[in-house]
Amino acid sequence: MPEPSKQEIEARAYKLWEQAGRPENREAEFWQLAEQELRNEDKSSPTRTPDTL
């Protein structure tokens, strides 16, 4: 299973950061959360088949 790309993580982290009201000095927290969400999405994706791996 491929790891999420840096661009995917960055986009998700930015979205989460904006939703949280753009708090200062919490970039690492949102990066980790985004990375974890993307990894979990991949594992539980109903459309995940051998053809889409």
Side-chain angles (χ1 to χ4, degrees):
M1 151 177 50
E3 290 291 311
S5 72
K6 182 178 177 183
Q7 291 82 11
E8 290 172 317
I9 298 167
E10 186 174 359
R12 177 69 60 98
Y14 185 81
K15 180 181 170 187
L16 294 169
W17 174 74
E18 281 193 319
Q19 289 174 345
R22 299 181 178 190
E24 293 184 22
N25 302 318
R26 292 177 57 194
E27 295 85 2
E29 176 185 340
F30 287 104
W31 185 272
Q32 291 173 346
L33 181 58
E35 193 172 22
Q36 188 63 46
E37 283 187 5
L38 288 166
R39 285 181 178 155
N40 289 342
E41 265 181 16
D42 187 50
K43 289 178 187 173
S44 64
S45 175
T47 59
R48 190 168 177 252
T49 65
D51 295 336
T52 61
L53 292 178

